[in-house]
Amino acid sequence: MSITTRTTYDTAAKPALHDPPTPVRAKLAAAWASFMFFYIYVDYLHLYKPGAIDDILAGVVFEFDISQTFAVSSLALVGIPSLMILLSMALPARASRTLNLVVAALYLPVSAFNVLGESWLYFYGLGVVVEVIVLAYILRTSWTWPRTAA
């Protein structure tokens, strides 16, 4: 004689998961970190595109000659969003909100630039779509930053 027991789970009896609100600063820092992962990986995975390494060895990236000016500009383009992770957490609320609004708005066309004239439209298109969605989230989160009663 075999006895089988069936365990039933009553979902109504389980307490809800504790889900405290996430601070605005943490949301912004996480969004900038997500943006940076995608931003960097689009550039990194570009190296797998046929001919990319040959172009680099010939001194060209996209249509730009590789020079110190190019390297400094590229570093600044990656460095600014990287710093936004820290600045979103460290600056006073008013400065953080303003800087997030300005930088995210400025990076919308920077992200869109990646898809212009590219033959790998799906690859760059996906990169641009994800980056723009994250930037829109940053803009919305910054714009709707809660205020305290004065």
Side-chain angles (χ1 to χ4, degrees):
M1 176 171 174
S2 121
I3 300 175
T4 58
T5 57
R6 184 189 303 195
T7 306
T8 59
Y9 295 99
D10 183 8
T11 56
K14 289 185 180 180
L17 295 174
H18 179 62
D19 191 16
T22 306
V24 173
R25 293 174 184 280
K27 289 179 184 180
L28 292 169
W32 280 113
S34 295
F35 176 83
M36 282 306 305
F37 275 111
F38 230 84
Y39 194 72
I40 290 168
Y41 269 99
V42 167
D43 282 350
Y44 174 75
L45 292 172
H46 159 78
L47 298 175
Y48 292 93
K49 184 178 171 184
I53 300 298
D54 294 333
D55 288 347
I56 291 169
L57 292 173
V60 177
V61 173
F62 299 108
E63 299 296 323
F64 304 107
D65 290 333
I66 298 174
S67 65
Q68 183 167 283
T69 302
F70 172 80
V72 169
S73 300
S74 297
L75 184 60
L77 281 173
V78 174
I80 292 169
S82 296
L83 287 172
M84 288 305 297
I85 299 167
L86 169 66
L87 296 175
S88 294
M89 295 294 287
L91 289 175
R94 177 178 232 105
S96 180
R97 178 181 185 263
T98 302
L99 193 59
N100 273 282
L101 288 168
V102 169
V103 173
L106 290 174
Y107 269 80
L108 285 170
V110 171
S111 291
F113 173 79
N114 284 332
V115 80
L116 296 178
E118 286 298 335
S119 58
W120 284 24
L121 191 57
Y122 295 131
F123 171 71
Y124 290 103
L126 176 61
V128 167
V129 166
V130 171
E131 289 173 15
V132 166
I133 288 170
V134 174
L135 290 169
Y137 175 81
I138 291 167
L139 287 168
R140 182 180 175 277
T141 302
S142 299
W143 187 259
T144 60
W145 194 308
R147 297 179 182 274
T148 57

